Amino acid sequence: MSKHEDSRDFEDRYTACFVDFGMKICTGLLIGSLLGGFFLRGYKKWPMYIGGGLGFGMAYSNCENSLNNYLLATDPKICVLK
């Protein structure tokens, strides 16, 4: 694999992280507001914030695993002091 392909794969993973963050946070906010409105019989903001926080946490965990798997799979160069 060439250096260009390696960097491209990292860029694709990094871009996918931002998309994942957006989707999970928006979905968490939406689900939190729907469940808060349904179960609490009124518009409360705290279920929406909890849903957004859970979405953020899941996206962060997925992104961290994806980038760590990629970075740990690369062949590290040995540092030699002369």
Side-chain angles (χ1 to χ4, degrees):
M1 204 183 275
S2 71
K3 183 175 173 107
H4 186 293
E5 291 174 3
D6 286 342
S7 66
R8 189 70 180 150
D9 188 39
F10 184 77
E11 290 172 7
D12 291 342
R13 287 176 187 241
Y14 198 70
T15 303
C17 283
F18 282 109
V19 172
D20 195 34
F21 268 104
M23 286 177 45
K24 284 197 168 79
I25 290 173
C26 289
T27 303
L29 290 172
L30 180 66
I31 290 173
S33 65
L34 290 175
L35 290 177
F38 181 73
F39 288 118
L40 299 176
R41 302 282 181 201
Y43 183 71
K44 306 283 186 203
K45 291 186 179 181
W46 64 267
M48 185 172 67
Y49 295 145
I50 290 175
L54 289 172
F56 180 84
M58 290 189 318
Y60 182 83
S61 177
N62 288 345
C63 186
E64 184 179 33
N65 288 336
S66 174
L67 293 178
N68 281 340
N69 288 340
Y70 172 76
L71 293 174
L72 293 175
T74 59
D75 188 28
K77 304 227 186 286
I78 297 175
C79 180
V80 178
L81 299 174
K82 293 183 181 181

